[in-house]
Amino acid sequence: MSSAHIDPSNPDLHSYAFESNPEPTLAWLREHDPVHWSQHGYWFVTRYEDVRAVLGDPARFSSQKAGFGANNPIGKDAGGANGGGGKKASDAEKTMSKGLALSFNQQDPPDHSRVRKLVNQAFSRREISERADKIQAVVDTLMADAQAKGEFDLITDFAFHLPIIVASDIIGIPSEDRDLFRRNFELAARLMAPKRSDEEWAEALTGAKWQSNYMGELIASRAKEPRADLISALIQASEDDQKLTGGEVASAIMTIFTAAGTTTERMISSGAFLLLTHPEQLAALRADHSLMDNVLEEILRFHHPNQSTSTNRRATQDVELGGKTIRAGDTVRVSLGSANRDAAQFEEPNAFNIQRTGTKHMSFGFGIHFCLGSALARYETKAALEALLLGPKSIELVTQNPVKDPDRPDRYKEIRVRMS
């Protein structure tokens, strides 16, 4: 859907129309209203320097009880006083809010520092180099299965599976539970956006409850019988005789699953599509494989223009930003993708250019909440793109004009390719 159907001065930032083609609206906001009060009851920040200022100042922009806007009852108040239209949160919504409050992504120092240090301790026990052979084996298997079809979908036959298989293996989610876990994870993710209908909201709460129960059982099992996985490592991690609680372990796992799994999926598929639709850039990469690191950073900067932080911020005091006064208690959402297209920071920001160097993009955030799955995402994407684009077989696009997935408009629905 075209941006012509959107009023850029008052866009629905969660609509399919916006998500399908966000950049024209974001460009208008960066120029005319860079700190925008959205119709969903939160501030939306689009310029690079302003985004950096918010993420780099946890004292004035807290991650704790930030919520997801005025018409979403999740997150802001675990006691249930928040919600659209003055309605109190239900018991299920209160439970979800309390669970979110345990995530280190939803915490400030010193709690954030304590939990993140323990998570880093556990996560670093299995370095990427130790996982390299296993990741490559997954890539090779998926690639062989896809190539056997001749024509296949980059998303459902390849990019969808790789990061989920890898993330599930690292975390310790049994392979037989992987698909069900992913499905309920995606249902629960709807709770981070405005409430669209009672039916969808009920499904999301059901998914979140399933997820909570499943993680509780899995954590209890690993506490009794540890294995060589991240869940066991998180349970065992300690610092100054402090350990993570069961709720903190569960919340950490969900944060890591997001970082190491779902976001990498669209980086792979969108990155491959970008290179296939920019043949001169792909030719340069094929002529000089050392450009791959540049390629990864440019894909990160360019591929997802509507990317926002998965967790918002809450102003702890009145703050002047972009000519607006953000009041204490207001929710603030920053657009990482918009910051990555800011002409004040990047030359020709709307050009995909793998020769670009020194790219200080915001795709993994900034400050104390910088994405801990960044190295793994880069490694998986590199392995995937090498298999798809730098192997002995030729590859061509069948889907020339892909559309965004109505169920997940941050990714394409289908990108069919042919290999020979």
Side-chain angles (χ1 to χ4, degrees):
M1 189 176 292
S2 167
S3 61
H5 298 278
I6 299 174
D7 174 6
S9 68
N10 187 32
D12 180 348
L13 298 169
H14 298 271
S15 69
Y16 183 72
F18 168 76
E19 300 252 26
S20 294
N21 187 24
E23 178 49 28
T25 300
L26 293 173
W28 190 95
L29 289 172
R30 280 194 302 272
E31 181 176 357
H32 300 287
D33 191 14
V35 180
H36 167 73
W37 180 251
S38 81
Q39 60 183 261
H40 298 294
Y42 57 75
W43 293 101
F44 187 63
V45 181
T46 52
R47 287 182 181 169
Y48 185 95
E49 286 302 323
D50 293 336
V51 167
R52 186 181 174 96
V54 171
L55 297 182
D57 190 353
R60 293 195 301 168
F61 295 100
S62 169
S63 296
Q64 201 164 359
K65 295 184 180 178
F68 301 96
N71 59 352
N72 185 323
I74 300 294
K76 219 178 219 183
D77 186 350
N82 182 58
K87 295 180 181 178
K88 279 189 172 290
S90 67
D91 289 343
E93 290 162 345
K94 292 177 188 177
T95 299
M96 180 67 181
S97 295
K98 290 175 181 177
L100 281 174
L102 295 173
S103 170
F104 58 89
N105 262 12
Q106 301 265 353
Q107 293 177 339
D108 300 323
D111 290 335
H112 169 268
S113 306
R114 176 185 65 84
V115 176
R116 175 134 182 170
K117 188 173 184 179
L118 289 168
V119 171
N120 282 339
Q121 180 189 124
F123 200 45
S124 63
R125 289 185 183 181
R126 301 177 65 190
E127 298 297 336
I128 291 174
S129 59
E130 296 176 4
R131 306 184 190 112
D133 290 345
K134 186 168 286 190
I135 292 173
Q136 191 61 54
V138 175
V139 171
D140 293 344
T141 298
L142 290 172
M143 196 76 261
D145 291 345
Q147 286 179 351
K149 299 179 180 180
E151 181 179 312
F152 64 92
D153 179 13
L154 268 177
I155 298 166
T156 59
D157 292 323
F158 189 73
F160 180 88
H161 298 288
L162 172 59
I164 301 307
I165 291 172
V166 172
S168 298
D169 178 65
I170 290 170
I171 290 168
I173 298 168
S175 58
E176 62 269 21
D177 296 339
R178 190 185 299 142
D179 291 341
L180 188 57
F181 185 87
R182 169 62 184 256
R183 173 58 181 158
N184 282 280
F185 177 88
E186 290 193 339
L187 285 174
R190 294 177 184 174
L191 298 172
M192 314 304 173
K195 182 177 179 179
R196 294 294 188 184
S197 71
D198 289 340
E199 181 180 359
E200 278 196 3
W201 199 253
E203 288 180 347
L205 288 169
T206 298
K209 183 177 180 180
W210 182 93
Q211 191 174 270
S212 176
N213 291 339
Y214 178 85
M215 287 306 305
E217 293 173 3
L218 197 57
I219 290 167
S221 174
R222 292 295 190 275
K224 293 179 180 178
E225 298 181 14
R227 298 184 186 179
D229 57 33
L230 185 59
I231 295 176
S232 300
L234 285 170
I235 293 169
Q236 295 164 3
S238 64
E239 184 76 20
D240 298 328
D241 295 326
Q242 289 189 335
K243 289 194 172 187
L244 297 172
T245 67
E248 288 172 337
V249 171
S251 293
I253 290 298
M254 301 317 303
T255 301
I256 292 166
F257 189 79
T258 302
T262 59
T263 53
T264 307
E265 163 204 326
R266 59 177 176 252
M267 183 181 172
I268 294 170
S269 56
S270 298
F273 181 74
L274 277 171
L275 287 163
L276 289 168
T277 52
H278 292 79
E280 74 289 350
Q281 307 277 334
L282 180 55
L285 173 62
R286 285 172 169 164
D288 182 2
H289 292 190
S290 70
L291 286 171
M292 181 58 83
D293 287 344
N294 276 17
V295 168
L296 296 176
E297 299 314 302
E298 183 65 352
I299 289 171
L300 283 163
R301 184 194 72 84
F302 190 88
H303 88 286
H304 191 16
N306 59 319
Q307 179 190 12
S308 295
T309 47
S310 57
T311 54
N312 298 326
R313 302 295 188 268
R314 173 179 53 84
T316 60
Q317 58 186 268
D318 291 358
V319 180
E320 297 293 324
L321 189 70
K324 303 288 181 69
T325 301
I326 299 174
R327 299 296 182 188
D330 285 354
T331 295
V332 181
R333 186 172 183 84
V334 300
S335 177
L336 304 176
S338 178
N340 287 340
R341 298 289 188 97
D342 190 340
Q345 178 68 23
F346 303 100
E347 185 177 351
E348 297 184 355
N350 291 317
F352 178 68
N353 179 13
I354 68 169
Q355 304 286 348
R356 196 186 300 271
T357 59
T359 304
K360 296 181 180 180
H361 59 72
M362 288 286 183
S363 298
F364 291 125
F366 176 75
I368 64 172
H369 290 284
F370 186 84
C371 178
L372 59 80
S374 59
L376 182 60
R378 287 185 174 101
Y379 188 88
E380 289 182 56
T381 303
K382 179 180 179 181
L385 293 179
E386 287 175 343
L388 282 166
L389 304 175
L390 303 184
K393 293 196 173 186
S394 63
I395 181 171
E396 61 177 323
L397 278 173
V398 176
T399 304
Q400 298 294 327
N401 296 296
V403 298
K404 296 297 180 68
D405 187 343
D407 292 329
R408 280 284 307 278
D410 58 348
R411 69 183 179 199
Y412 290 113
K413 184 176 182 180
E414 179 183 63
I415 304 175
R416 298 200 68 78
V417 297
R418 186 181 297 115
M419 297 192 82
S420 59

